């Protein structure tokens, strides 16, 4: 995705994120503003680290990798209890993300968030982001979403990064919600297989068929 608008939390005014006697806290205000947004076709909005970010859908190379990954995941998961999803909201404590792909139970109804706008992050077993070009895009997937997905306790986060050296795949496991970080980190160049080590997609390999060979 390419960022259209972004305001980092550290640059925002100092508001409480909890409800005060004067009204709702910042998290609730941002959540209500996000719910009220009406975006033109081809754009989507997320709440990342307390800020609403609006971005257009990915370019062709981004879409190509995402589609290859989703097709491969669908085949790998088969007719089991879990499915691969695309362009759906993942909700966690008044934050909302739209991963490029995620794996969750085939029946999402029991895991809908209280407003019925997406799936509760507790049901998500794997998230995948394919990095788009540009500093803000790279920072979002490599840094800020890395922290957010760890805080939510999502077991596996895969970053497919076409813009890191000649291309890399990073598989993050063992989230530390209190630290916003991960204990397990495996990073390999394009052309080397990266394997999901746990969860319903355990054994799923992201390799040259998805990313292409390592570039010179």
């Amino acid at each position: 995705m390419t960022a259209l608008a972004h305001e980092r939390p550290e640059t925002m005014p100092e508001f409480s994120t909890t409800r005060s006697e004067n009204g709702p806290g910042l998290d609730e205000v941002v959540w209500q503003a996000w719910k009220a947004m009406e975006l033109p076709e081809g754009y989507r909005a997320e709440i990342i680290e307390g800020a609403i970010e609006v971005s257009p859908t990915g370019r062709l190379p981004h879409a190509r990798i995402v589609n290859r990954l989703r097709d491969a995941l669908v085949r790998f998961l088969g007719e089991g209890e879990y499915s691969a999803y695309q362009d759906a909201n993942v909700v966690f404590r008044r934050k909302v993300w739209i991963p490029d792909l995620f794996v969750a139970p085939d029946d999402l109804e029991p895991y809908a968030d209280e407003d019925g706008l997406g799936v509760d992050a507790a049901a998500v077993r794997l998230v995948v982001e394919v990095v788009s070009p540009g500093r803000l895009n790279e920072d979002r997937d490599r840094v800020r979403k890395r922290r957010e997905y760890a805080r939510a306790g999502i077991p596996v986060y895969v970053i497919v990064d076409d813009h890191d050296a000649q291309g890399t795949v990073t598989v993050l496991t063992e989230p530390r919600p209190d630290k916003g970080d991960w204990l397990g980190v495996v990073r390999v160049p394009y052309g080397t297989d990266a394997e999901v080590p746990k969860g319903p997609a355990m054994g799923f390999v992201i390799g040259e068929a998805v990313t292409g060979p390592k570039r010179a």
Side-chain angles (χ1 to χ4, degrees):
M1 297 185 298
T2 303
L4 178 69
H6 170 66
E7 188 170 18
R8 293 291 298 273
E10 59 264 30
T11 67
M12 298 175 71
E14 293 294 328
F15 293 114
S16 170
T17 59
T18 58
R19 184 181 178 85
S20 70
E21 61 183 16
N22 297 320
L26 180 59
D27 281 352
E28 184 63 26
V29 171
V30 172
W31 174 255
Q32 295 300 329
W34 175 82
K35 290 201 297 182
M37 293 181 73
E38 295 185 9
L39 297 175
E41 185 176 352
Y43 288 86
R44 56 186 181 177
E46 302 172 281
I47 302 174
I48 303 173
E49 296 195 326
I52 295 175
E53 296 193 24
V54 178
S55 55
T57 53
R59 301 176 183 179
L60 183 58
H62 179 279
R64 185 182 298 117
I65 292 177
V66 172
N67 286 339
R68 286 175 183 166
L69 270 170
R70 186 175 187 276
D71 289 347
L73 265 173
V74 167
R75 291 192 298 269
F76 183 88
L77 295 169
E79 299 298 324
E81 299 177 9
Y82 290 85
S83 294
Y85 296 90
Q86 193 173 356
D87 295 327
N89 297 326
V90 173
V91 180
F92 177 73
R93 297 179 184 173
R94 293 300 191 255
K95 307 294 190 299
V96 60
W97 315 301
I98 308 174
D100 288 320
L101 289 171
F102 67 89
V103 172
D106 187 61
D107 181 10
L108 289 183
E109 193 63 33
Y111 306 100
D113 76 289
E114 61 185 17
D115 293 301
L117 297 172
V119 60
D120 192 297
V124 175
R125 313 316 299 162
L126 165 76
V127 287
V128 181
E129 298 286 3
V130 177
V131 180
S132 291
R135 183 181 61 82
L136 290 178
N137 301 315
E138 293 165 9
D139 177 74
R140 178 175 55 242
D141 292 336
R142 295 173 184 170
V143 180
R144 289 179 288 111
K145 277 194 170 182
R146 174 174 174 150
R147 290 193 294 249
E148 289 281 68
Y149 291 147
R151 290 171 183 140
I154 293 172
V156 183
Y157 176 28
V158 176
I159 306 171
V160 181
D161 196 338
D162 213 37
H163 311 284
D164 178 14
Q166 284 74 49
T168 62
V169 178
T170 302
V171 180
L172 301 165
T173 56
E174 301 178 68
R176 301 181 66 190
D178 58 328
K179 302 294 185 182
D181 206 352
W182 308 75
L183 286 175
V185 180
V186 176
R187 177 175 171 268
V188 300
Y190 279 11
T192 301
D193 288 348
E195 184 172 321
V196 175
K198 61 193 303 183
M202 183 172 66
F204 177 71
V205 172
I206 302 167
E208 194 170 315
V210 170
T211 63
K214 181 178 179 179
R215 298 188 298 275

